[in-house]
Structure formats: C-alpha cells, structure tokens
Amino acid sequence: MALKQNLKRGWDASAMLEALGAADVALWVWEPEADRLRLNGPARALGLGPLAPECASAAILALAIPQDRAQVERMLRTQAPGSEVVVRVRMRGAESCLWRGVWLEEGVRAAGVVAPETKYAASQHDQLTGLLDRSSFIARARDRMQSAGEYEMVVADLDRLRRLNEALGHERADLVLAALGSRLAAAFPPNAVIGRIGEDEFAVLIEAVSGREPAEMLRQAVEQPLRVVGFDIFPTLSLGAVSAEGGENAPEATELLRRAELAVEAARMGGRGGAAAYGRAMESDGLSQLALEADLRGALGRGEIIPFFQPVVRLSDGALAGFEALARWRHPRRGFLPPDDFLPLVEEMGLMSELGGHMVRAAATQLAAWRRTHSQVEGMTVSVNLSTGEIDRASLIAEVASVIKENDLPPAALKLEITESEVMRDPKRAASVLNALRATGVGLALDDFGTGFSSLSYLSQLPVDTLKIDRYFVRTMAANEGSAKIVRSIVQLGRDLDLEVVGEGVENAAMAAKLLELGCDYGQGFGYAPALPATEAEVYLNEAYLDGVAPLRAWG
C-alpha cells in the first residue's frame, strides 16, 4: 500500500510539472530567512534559467532589467500572512513575466506562480475596451519614459456619461465606451501607450512628433457621430495635456497622470468640450501646493526623502569610481518626485540645511555599508551636493566631521560638491569654510564649472580636488565648437592645477570617447545609468566589478 501511495505521489508531481511546462508557468517559493528563491517548472523558457533551481535575492536582482528591480524588491519584501504578491518583471533577454503569489507565513515563506504576461492579458486590460487598465497604463508609461525624448500625456474625460447611462441604460452606454476604445486604439501608432483609467476617462502617452498634436488626434478619433441601437450619439471630450522630458530626469508616471488630470479639471470649468494644458498655476487652484508643503514638513522625519546614486566612471578604463548621491522624494501618493518638483519648495520653506545634513548622513551611511560588505570598493567615493547657502551654516563643519568619524570613512571617500556660483558669492568666506571642511577629511569638488565667473586667482586658493564640467557643455560639444573649446580649456586647467575633472551629462559612448580624447578623467550621466536607488546601485556596483567596467548603454 505504501508503495502505491509513493507511486501515486510521484506520478502527481510529474504530471503537475508537465502541465506547468505546457502552460509556460513555473512555481516559485521565496524564503527570506535563508535568502533563497526556489523555482520549479519551465524556468529556461521564462528567461529564468540562470536562477533555477534556486538562487539568492542578489541573483534575481542582477538578472532583472534595471527599470524593474524595484518591482523585484517589492516582491521579496516581507509582508503579513495572506498578503498578495503581484509584480510585473522583465528579465534580460526575455519577455515580461507576471509573478503572482501569497505570503504563507510572516517573514518565513511566500509562494506562487510566474508566467509570461500574455498569460494574464485579461487582468492587465480593461475588459470593456481592451485598453490598458489604470495600473497597467501607469506601469507602461513609466517604462516608456525611461527612454530619452519629449513626451505628451493627454487625458480625455467623456462629457455627460451619467446622462448617457440614464438615457440608454448601462449596457448600451457600455457599447459607446467600447466603441470609443476601439477608435482610440486605431487612431494612434503601436508605440503609443493607451488606457482606460477611469469610468469615463481615457489616457494616451505618446512621444511628441512635429506636426502631430496628440490632443487633436484624440479629439478627431472620438468626437465623431456614433449610432447605438437606433440612437445617434455625439460624444464630446474635456481634454487635459502635460508635456515632459523622458530619460534621466523623467517625472514619475503617477505624478504626470495627476498633472494631466488636474488639467482636465481646469478644462471642465470652461464648459463641455474644453481643453487645457497643465501649468504650475493649477497647483494652487487645487490646493495641491499647500498639501505638498504640509507633506514636505514631515517628509525627512518619515524617511521619504532618500538618496539615489548615479555612477561616476573612470574614462581611461571604464572602471566604476564612485557615485553621486541625489535627493529623491518617495511621496506616499505621488510616487517618486524628481528634485525640480520639490527642491524650490524646500528652499522657499527654509529647509535646505536640514535636507543637506540629511543627505550627507544618509550617503555616508550607505558608503560605509558598501565598504563593509564589498572589499572591492576600497577606493570608491560618494559625493553629495551642498545646497545653496549651506556653506554658511555654522554647524556644517562639526556635522561633517562627526559623520566621517561615525562611519569610519577614509580621507576623501566622502566628497562634498559646491557650485562655482555659490563660491563666487563670497570667495574669501568660501575659501575659509572649504579649508576647514578639508581638514575634516572630506573631499571637495567644484560643481557646474564653466557656468560662473571664477577668478583663476581665487580658484588656485580653493582646496578643491575635483572640477565638474557642466552637462550643457558636454552634451553640446559635438555640435558646438564653443562648447568643445570650453571643455578642452577646463580639462587643461584641471591638469595645470593637479585636479581631477569629471564630465557630467554623458549620454552615450561617443561622448565618453570625446571626453577621453580631450583628457578628461571621469564621466557621469544617463549613458551609464540614471540616479538609482541604493539596492539598484549595489547591483550596478556588482556588475561593474564583476565585468571590470561600468555598463555603458550603446543607444544613449
């Protein structure tokens, strides 16, 4: 009898695995205490072959594409029993997969299935229109805007949907929505991101192309007469639009959608069929600015403003030399906010010194953690920007000295960057403070060099060890001879003064090669990587030291 039971169990397992393989579905079990992810099923077909049959968390983070590593972290983060796991992740060289599961025991085990996204297509799309649902639209928009370029997001609100429901009934009104969804899908090119984001709201994200207005394309597609069960319907839309630059400093997709929806509200106020483009004045109209101020006051204490780390690479051999820490606000409702969205408000509210101190402490703590766990980062540096006016803060020097001592950092491992224009406000005062800072063991860099009006006599007296060329000159040096001459002059000046020179704004291999040809020491920019959260920066660090060079994106 026992033999029969064993055979039965063995047959069941085989049959289960065969069924999973036929369906391109694998089972996964995550055990955080053992740092072990186990996989059963067609792992190779799903792009998970290098991970099977089991791996550590670092392995799956390294295999996931950089944009999706935050999703992997979310999946691995311990949750309460019964909590669902639903994340979309793309592995290198494989299609997008959905990981679904549940936490079985708190902090001990989670389990579920992973399959190609196409297997779950229905759950990612609005069933009525076939367009992306709201969460999927945001996820796709976020991915799309990782690529450089000008983008426009348009949100369309269907006027008088309630009246349609009352006159036609919900089923017939649904036919109208389905027809409008089909029109939208046909009106835009395949690379457009299109979704139904609310009961009566549609959204489109598309790269801006000269001569084509996305809002007008949307209006022309939808505002055509429609006959439904004997009734002639004349749909009209209220439109809100917002433009944004993709790439390194792209706004979070949730924030961009919020702005477009704010513009829709403004359009509605103008009457049926109105249109409006987002402007900052709308923030005060919706009391958003006041809400943001209230949120900002407690953001530092709640740990919402955190450092992201952008790689700095040695041009001569491509080795990773360090990172620059840049502030990002992880807003609980608006997602990650870039600096331009909150730093002016920080300055206006007089919180720059508090933010500066927080960033220095957080960056130093992260560097110390990397030094403890990665022997290869012995000579790596992390730099932090000194905010406007922070050089005059009385406690600055004592705080920096304390941070270096507490984290046991060697000389110049932690660098402070101060802009050229800030130094030139009071060169004598700046020289005095910088000399005192240098005595604490911190490294010093002069940022955005070339944009101010430095006197060479003052520059020679400043205890800086690095010049950073402003990104504008680096990005335009190929097409603008004036920019190329400025870059060449700064590099030569750095040599003459025995200073290291960093070129900012490196977007591709051609820029890196040109800087190296001119004699520049280091490069930094989106061509290597955008500013990354600490966990992704650590993965980048591991890849760089494993390969011997920091990854440089060929497409730029």
Side-chain angles (χ1 to χ4, degrees):
M1 185 67 176
L3 178 60
K4 287 184 179 180
Q5 288 177 336
N6 287 337
L7 286 172
K8 187 173 185 296
R9 281 196 294 268
W11 182 88
D12 284 344
S14 299
M16 180 185 69
L17 291 176
E18 287 177 8
L20 289 172
D24 286 338
V25 177
L27 299 177
W28 60 267
V29 178
W30 165 237
E31 300 165 300
E33 290 183 347
D35 190 25
R36 179 172 61 208
L37 178 74
R38 291 186 284 133
L39 292 162
N40 238 326
R44 187 177 299 278
L46 296 173
L48 304 172
L51 305 179
E54 62 181 52
C55 68
S57 57
I60 186 172
L61 280 167
L63 189 63
I65 69 167
Q67 297 95 316
D68 285 0
R69 285 171 185 157
Q71 296 294 327
V72 175
E73 284 184 316
R74 188 156 65 87
M75 181 182 77
L76 301 179
R77 190 177 301 133
T78 301
Q79 299 183 52
S83 299
E84 289 188 54
V85 176
V86 183
V87 296
R88 171 178 171 268
V89 179
R90 289 165 297 168
M91 299 297 175
R92 296 182 182 183
E95 64 178 296
S96 175
C97 287
L98 279 181
W99 296 66
R100 290 180 174 272
V102 65
W103 278 89
L104 305 172
E105 304 159 72
E106 186 167 12
V108 177
R109 190 164 56 110
V113 296
V114 53
E117 186 179 13
T118 52
K119 298 290 181 183
Y120 296 104
S123 67
Q124 296 295 299
H125 290 76
D126 171 54
Q127 293 183 358
L128 184 61
T129 63
L131 303 176
L132 294 170
D133 60 25
R134 186 181 182 92
S135 61
S136 301
F137 175 81
I138 291 171
R140 296 286 179 85
R142 181 185 296 119
D143 292 344
R144 185 70 197 282
M145 291 192 66
Q146 292 293 316
S147 301
E150 288 284 343
Y151 294 87
E152 186 158 354
M153 183 181 287
V154 182
V155 169
D157 184 88
L158 180 63
D159 296 324
R160 301 181 303 167
L161 178 62
R162 180 179 297 177
R163 186 172 177 183
L164 276 177
N165 281 325
E166 293 171 351
L168 302 178
H170 284 285
E171 290 185 2
R172 291 172 177 173
D174 283 350
L175 292 177
V176 174
L177 291 171
L180 297 184
S182 297
R183 287 181 175 182
L184 276 181
F188 288 89
N191 62 354
V193 182
I194 310 173
R196 182 188 178 204
I197 60 170
E199 184 183 9
D200 56 356
E201 279 191 329
F202 299 92
V204 176
L205 176 76
I206 188 170
E207 192 164 1
V209 177
S210 178
R212 284 172 34 189
E213 289 293 334
E216 191 57 34
M217 292 169 64
L218 198 153
R219 195 182 288 282
Q220 288 177 359
V222 172
E223 292 188 345
Q224 301 294 331
L226 184 67
R227 191 167 184 81
V228 177
V229 291
F231 291 90
D232 289 322
I233 309 297
F234 297 88
T236 59
L237 301 172
S238 296
L239 299 177
V242 60
S243 299
E245 182 82 21
E248 179 177 4
N249 295 314
E252 169 63 30
T254 50
E255 170 63 11
L256 201 62
L257 183 58
R258 184 192 69 83
R259 294 176 184 178
E261 290 180 316
L262 203 59
V264 169
E265 291 296 328
R268 282 193 191 127
M269 295 176 66
R272 196 178 75 192
Y278 170 81
R280 288 197 177 274
M282 293 178 183
E283 298 288 355
S284 57
D285 291 342
L287 300 179
S288 296
Q289 195 74 357
L290 288 176
L292 200 62
E293 286 185 17
D295 293 342
L296 183 57
R297 291 193 181 278
L300 287 171
R302 292 189 298 267
E304 294 173 5
I305 298 182
I306 59 176
F308 272 37
F309 298 87
Q310 185 170 45
V312 178
V313 176
R314 190 163 58 232
L315 294 171
S316 60
D317 58 7
L320 178 66
F323 293 95
E324 179 180 353
L326 300 164
R328 297 291 186 269
W329 185 0
R330 184 171 50 196
H331 195 282
R333 294 181 304 281
R334 301 185 183 186
F336 277 107
L337 300 183
D340 288 349
D341 284 0
F342 67 91
L343 285 186
L345 190 58
V346 171
E347 185 171 5
E348 181 181 324
M349 296 171 65
L351 298 175
M352 273 297 193
S353 294
E354 186 179 346
L355 174 62
H358 168 75
M359 286 293 294
V360 168
R361 287 190 298 275
T365 300
Q366 184 59 68
L367 175 58
W370 283 335
R371 287 176 57 82
R372 287 193 299 270
T373 55
H374 297 73
S375 58
Q376 65 267 43
V377 305
E378 182 65 30
M380 193 178 76
T381 64
V382 170
S383 58
V384 184
N385 291 291
L386 283 180
S387 307
T388 302
E390 198 174 359
I391 194 172
D392 298 321
R393 180 156 57 93
S395 60
L396 174 65
I397 297 165
E399 287 181 8
V400 170
S402 175
V403 164
I404 291 174
K405 183 178 180 180
E406 289 171 5
N407 291 282
D408 193 25
L409 297 178
L414 178 67
K415 283 192 173 186
L416 298 181
E417 298 185 6
I418 183 169
T419 62
E420 179 186 10
S421 56
E422 182 72 359
V423 167
M424 294 313 296
R425 283 196 306 114
D426 188 345
K428 289 185 178 179
R429 164 69 177 161
S432 173
V433 173
L434 294 180
N435 274 302
L437 283 171
R438 187 63 176 269
T440 68
V442 75
L444 295 171
L446 202 56
D447 197 14
D448 296 342
F449 193 75
T451 60
F453 304 94
S454 293
S455 163
L456 292 185
S457 62
Y458 277 120
L459 180 60
S460 64
Q461 297 172 25
L462 296 175
V464 297
D465 44 49
T466 304
L467 296 180
K468 300 193 74 172
I469 307 173
D470 184 71
R471 70 187 66 235
Y472 170 80
F473 301 118
V474 174
R475 288 177 174 172
T476 59
M477 64 182 176
N480 187 319
E481 181 57 29
S483 293
K485 288 179 179 178
I486 289 174
V487 172
R488 189 179 297 112
S489 299
I490 294 174
V491 170
Q492 186 58 52
L493 178 63
R495 284 182 175 178
D496 293 342
L497 296 177
D498 198 24
L499 303 176
E500 294 178 336
V501 180
V502 180
E504 297 185 292
V506 177
E507 294 181 349
N508 51 47
M511 287 185 180
K514 181 63 175 177
L515 285 172
L516 179 60
E517 177 189 328
L518 294 174
C520 188
D521 301 299
Y522 301 95
Q524 174 184 347
F526 195 58
Y528 293 105
L532 303 168
T535 49
E536 290 188 27
E538 185 167 2
V539 173
Y540 188 97
L541 183 158
N542 286 328
E543 291 177 353
Y545 283 112
L546 185 64
D547 298 338
V549 295
L552 177 65
R553 299 188 307 187
W555 50 270

